[in-house]
Amino acid sequence: MDEEQAAQPERQVFLREGTVILRWLFGYYDGRNLPGWKTPPCWPHTASTWRPQKPKTRFRDITFVAIDIDELQEQDGMPTKFHIGISILHTKDLHNLCHAPLPLTDFQANIIRSYHWAVQDFQYFDKNDNRFCFGKHQCIPLSSLEERLKKLLKPFHPLVLVVHGISRERIILRKLNINLNPIFEIDTTKAARYPLQELHDSTLKKLLRDFDIPFAGELLHFAGNDAHFVLRALLMIAVRDARRELKDIPAWVPVFEAIARAPLPPIPLTHTQKAAIRRREKKEAELQEELARFRDRWVDELRSRTKPG
């Protein structure tokens, strides 16, 4: 068998639905350029094109909502305790930044709002480290989850649900009868395939590395952080796709890159680090007390020596 016969045919990476949705939402969709698609998708009428006075974008007026769930415990097949991360990014906020001068300030780049809720897990942070670095965590009862979630997201419809590997989040929300009514669902493991020319799904860690998004390993697999990183990855999926497909790079590309690659906020201290600080502060306080006692003894001795005989 010669080399030509032995060579394996090159496998083609087809365009996935999530990537096509991003093209439509960010205004660079071309129905004539859909590798692997026989017919173009049908688009909803609820996401009207936003036509502001400033013309640098053609974004649809929607909100991306990333959800991640971990620390899951179930009883009789029903979720009883878990942590849920929610991150929110509105295209209007992205549009406004596209008209701000570059480079963006850290404050401007931090427009992804992120939350970490420990559901029915009130003692978790007494025993475990808080690794959520994009805000303050909350512990909430399971009975209030649906109300809190819908209240949080009420101003942001229509919304697009974003997950990294869609099965767990979808199943848990369905079991709890929580329907967020998204107009689309985007799984970043699938949406990243075509822009990266990957034949297989990528882990979130791999996407962050491939896109040069700053992260620390200890921050991953923590619901609030993962939801945040998923939206950063989503922006870079669109960036990589636009750079691959378009001759003229849109004005939003460097803005998306600045948001996705913005420096991380300070990482919360672990229980061990806090204990070490307390020990150090205690030792310093004891040293100060010892120095004060020594000073008092020295002053007393000096006074006794200077008394007239």
Side-chain angles (χ1 to χ4, degrees):
M1 183 180 293
D2 57 30
E3 291 184 4
E4 184 175 351
Q5 290 176 320
Q8 295 293 322
E10 184 178 353
R11 295 179 63 185
Q12 186 175 358
V13 180
F14 291 109
L15 193 61
R16 295 301 185 103
E17 183 181 54
T19 319
V20 178
I21 291 171
L22 286 178
R23 292 181 179 185
W24 186 73
L25 293 175
F26 289 134
Y28 68 104
Y29 168 77
D30 182 355
R32 299 164 298 178
N33 182 25
L34 299 174
W37 289 62
K38 294 181 179 179
T39 57
C42 296
W43 303 113
H45 297 291
T46 53
S48 60
T49 302
W50 189 39
R51 300 185 184 279
Q53 293 180 352
K54 300 175 182 178
K56 287 190 177 181
T57 76
R58 296 178 58 197
F59 297 163
R60 302 281 171 170
D61 186 7
I62 58 92
T63 301
F64 294 105
V65 177
I67 289 184
D68 184 86
I69 292 176
D70 59 23
E71 300 291 339
L72 174 64
Q73 295 184 29
E74 293 184 308
Q75 184 174 353
D76 299 326
M78 288 298 294
T80 57
K81 184 186 295 186
F82 55 90
H83 291 207
I84 182 169
I86 308 112
S87 283
I88 300 170
L89 180 60
H90 201 299
T91 52
K92 281 188 178 180
D93 293 333
L94 291 172
H95 169 82
N96 290 336
L97 283 183
C98 288
H99 297 86
L102 293 173
L104 300 180
T105 65
D106 289 347
F107 177 78
Q108 288 175 310
N110 291 323
I111 63 170
I112 300 175
R113 284 164 279 187
S114 298
Y115 307 85
H116 181 103
W117 295 346
V119 180
Q120 209 65 37
D121 199 358
F122 301 102
Q123 282 77 46
Y124 179 86
F125 293 102
D126 295 335
K127 303 175 182 178
N128 299 278
D129 294 326
N130 170 31
R131 293 181 285 148
F132 182 46
C133 69
F134 298 105
K136 292 184 177 180
H137 67 269
Q138 286 185 284
C139 298
I140 67 170
L142 179 59
S143 59
S144 72
L145 174 62
E146 181 176 10
E147 180 183 356
R148 285 172 177 260
L149 196 54
K150 291 188 174 181
K151 182 179 180 181
L152 176 68
L153 300 179
K154 186 177 180 180
F156 301 114
H157 284 273
L159 62 84
V160 174
L161 180 64
V162 185
V163 293
H164 187 80
I166 203 165
S167 58
R168 170 181 278 193
E169 286 71 24
R170 176 190 286 172
I171 291 171
I172 292 175
L173 291 177
R174 186 187 300 129
K175 285 182 176 181
L176 296 172
N177 293 317
I178 297 176
N179 185 4
L180 302 180
N181 297 309
I183 59 170
F184 295 118
E185 294 181 8
I186 297 177
D187 179 356
T188 49
T189 65
K190 308 299 183 188
R193 280 197 183 190
Y194 186 79
L196 291 174
Q197 289 296 287
E198 291 279 359
L199 292 170
H200 306 288
D201 294 346
S202 296
T203 64
L204 180 56
K205 185 176 183 179
K206 183 178 184 302
L207 287 186
L208 299 178
R209 283 178 171 169
D210 288 345
F211 292 139
D212 294 324
I213 296 172
F215 74 98
E218 65 268 26
L219 297 180
L220 297 179
H221 307 294
F222 201 74
N225 295 337
D226 284 359
H228 181 97
F229 285 129
V230 163
L231 285 190
R232 290 197 185 205
L234 182 86
L235 295 178
M236 289 304 298
I237 290 170
V239 165
R240 184 66 63 90
D241 188 52
R243 287 191 179 278
R244 176 183 173 83
E245 298 298 316
L246 304 178
K247 292 181 180 179
D248 298 323
I249 302 302
W252 49 262
V253 164
V255 175
F256 283 21
E257 289 174 329
I259 296 169
R261 293 169 176 165
L264 295 179
I267 298 175
L269 297 175
T270 64
H271 286 307
T272 301
Q273 290 170 326
K274 291 177 182 177
I277 291 173
R278 287 194 295 269
R279 288 194 300 270
R280 184 168 64 248
E281 290 175 344
K282 182 180 179 181
K283 190 172 182 179
E284 289 175 354
E286 291 173 348
L287 180 60
Q288 290 298 323
E289 290 178 3
E290 185 176 346
L291 288 173
R293 288 194 296 269
F294 175 80
R295 184 181 63 248
D296 292 342
R297 289 196 302 269
W298 182 80
V299 170
D300 291 342
E301 184 176 347
L302 184 63
R303 286 174 178 171
S304 65
R305 289 180 179 180
T306 56
K307 282 183 179 180

